[in-house]
Amino acid sequence: MRWFISTAISLPANGDGYRVDAHTSTPENPYVHPELTEILAALPQRPENPYADIAALRTGFAALMAPLMTAHDTRVTVRRTSFPGPDGNTVDVQVLRPAGAEGVLPGVLYLHGGGFAYGELDGPSPMARDACAAAGAVVVNVHYRLAPEHRYPAGVEDCYAALEWMVASAAELGVDTGRIAVTGASAGGGLSAAVCLMARDRQGPRIAWQGLLIPCLDDRDHTASRRRITDRRIINGRGIARTWDTYLGPDRGPDVPAYAAPARATDLAGLPPAYVLTCGLDPLRDEGLDYAHRLMAADVPVEVKDVPGAWHFFEAYAPGSALARRTTTHWLGALRNALTPAAPAAEHPAATTATTAPAVPA
């Protein structure tokens, strides 16, 4: 089994703009990518507990994303539908398809981020639209139930039900059930990892690839990056603790299930090939890298991309930066490659003459 590692690291001046002498990194003065320094300096401090006012949090996120939303994206077509959920509820989805595409296409189950509590937008997110266009795939964008109104397991069960609905509706949707990926960022990355665990354990639909982008995987506050990232202008370790309180409840016991926090899974064997994206100023960095290493140890093919000097979801704050474009291009390329059938290997001429080739002199 092959493992793929693709990490961006600080190097002498190159096309990515990293320099080893450009910044002296210390715990009190962490490395910030040069393209992001002015943007970070201009950010206001976030509330100590952003989840204390859920309505304001959701409104603020919608305002942040508004410049990236579009009323009409000529690359894709969108239709809205729904299906019965696992608890008698109704799960709304948006089905995206590349404009003009015909026939059967690969499928992507896209699970949005937002701390399990926000992130649901009226139109398909830029990430869902980009995934559809870049991979030439049918994308099912799931509006799962949100915390704190609906705590675990409501959201993840909606996501798993969406996977089953996608496969059951494959003929109608034009989806190749042999080429289905599950992906999402932040909470969506954690939900993606959980859905893969559920599909394996429940002998459910086959998943060809999991894209875990800056994933929120571990409710336990025990990594160096969780402790190190304290800057209140960006998502920090204390904010992540509030995220888990909102999703699981502040009075939860110690035995949190792996479908809630996938880092707690003790067996990662048999899971789909994975792509894991992390950022250097993200409190979730270490749990993402640790999960990638554990997948490798379980003989799961893994590709890792780390972005030094960038914070959690930095692309939304610096969408025009070269760093954001490169990061987006990288994960979309990995998704496209995972869903593109491999071309048959050309027969090597030597293969047909191996039995008649002259002996090599001793």
Side-chain angles (χ1 to χ4, degrees):
M1 192 74 71
R2 291 185 297 168
W3 296 331
F4 303 90
I5 305 295
S6 173
T7 52
I9 58 175
S10 299
L11 298 169
N14 60 28
D16 285 344
Y18 299 115
R19 296 185 62 91
V20 291
D21 59 348
H23 184 93
T24 301
S25 178
T26 66
E28 298 77 22
N29 186 35
Y31 173 77
V32 179
H33 191 279
E35 286 189 88
L36 304 179
T37 52
E38 292 185 5
I39 295 172
L40 178 59
L43 291 180
Q45 287 199 350
R46 296 164 57 86
E48 183 69 26
N49 180 10
Y51 298 91
D53 188 340
I54 288 293
L57 180 61
R58 291 168 179 166
T59 299
F61 179 78
L64 173 67
M65 295 299 294
L68 305 179
M69 302 300 291
T70 178
H72 179 62
D73 189 331
T74 58
R75 301 175 302 166
V76 304
T77 62
V78 182
R79 71 178 179 91
R80 290 168 169 78
T81 188
S82 62
F83 61 88
D87 299 320
N89 59 308
T90 297
V91 180
D92 295 323
V93 296
Q94 295 162 335
V95 179
L96 291 72
R97 190 175 179 90
E102 299 180 354
V104 176
L105 303 176
V108 176
L109 185 72
Y110 175 75
L111 309 178
H112 69 77
F116 308 102
Y118 60 99
E120 184 177 1
L121 301 168
D122 182 56
S125 75
M127 296 181 72
R129 290 187 271 113
D130 286 347
C132 178
V138 174
V139 174
V140 174
N141 183 30
V142 186
H143 286 192
Y144 53 86
R145 285 171 289 175
L146 300 175
E149 297 92 336
H150 304 282
R151 290 195 165 113
Y152 173 84
V156 71
E157 289 292 351
D158 285 354
C159 294
Y160 184 75
L163 174 67
E164 294 189 311
W165 173 83
M166 186 178 184
V167 171
S169 307
E172 175 193 350
L173 299 175
V175 169
D176 179 355
T177 58
R179 292 187 291 157
I180 290 180
V182 178
T183 191
S186 192
L191 291 167
S192 296
V195 165
C196 289
L197 288 167
M198 296 164 79
R200 180 199 64 180
D201 297 347
R202 298 177 181 181
Q203 298 182 329
R206 177 183 176 273
I207 298 170
W209 184 84
Q210 55 179 320
L212 312 182
L213 314 176
I214 52 172
C216 189
L217 299 166
D218 200 339
D219 64 298
R220 298 162 294 186
D221 187 14
H222 63 176
T223 65
S225 63
R226 188 80 69 86
R227 295 189 298 269
R228 182 174 66 91
I229 305 303
T230 59
D231 193 330
R232 283 186 55 188
R233 296 170 296 178
I234 58 178
I235 291 178
N236 54 41
R238 187 168 292 181
I240 294 299
R242 301 288 194 180
T243 294
W244 286 108
D245 288 346
T246 302
Y247 183 46
L248 302 179
D251 56 350
R252 63 187 180 277
D255 299 324
V256 173
Y259 297 161
R264 287 181 174 267
T266 57
D267 179 11
L268 302 184
L271 290 172
Y275 175 93
V276 180
L277 172 67
T278 59
C279 290
L281 297 178
D282 189 344
L284 303 179
R285 182 197 63 182
D286 291 355
E287 64 199 66
L289 294 177
D290 179 65
Y291 198 74
H293 293 156
R294 292 180 56 218
L295 285 168
M296 293 177 188
D299 205 27
V300 175
V302 181
E303 183 174 4
V304 178
K305 171 73 171 177
D306 183 67
V307 187
W311 60 86
H312 189 86
F313 204 38
F314 78 97
E315 300 95 327
Y317 298 85
S321 67
L323 185 64
R325 292 194 299 269
R326 286 194 302 272
T327 302
T328 298
T329 297
H330 197 276
W331 83 262
L332 289 174
L335 171 64
R336 181 177 58 252
N337 292 339
L339 296 178
T340 301
E347 188 175 20
H348 195 284
T352 60
T353 59
T355 57
T356 58
V360 177

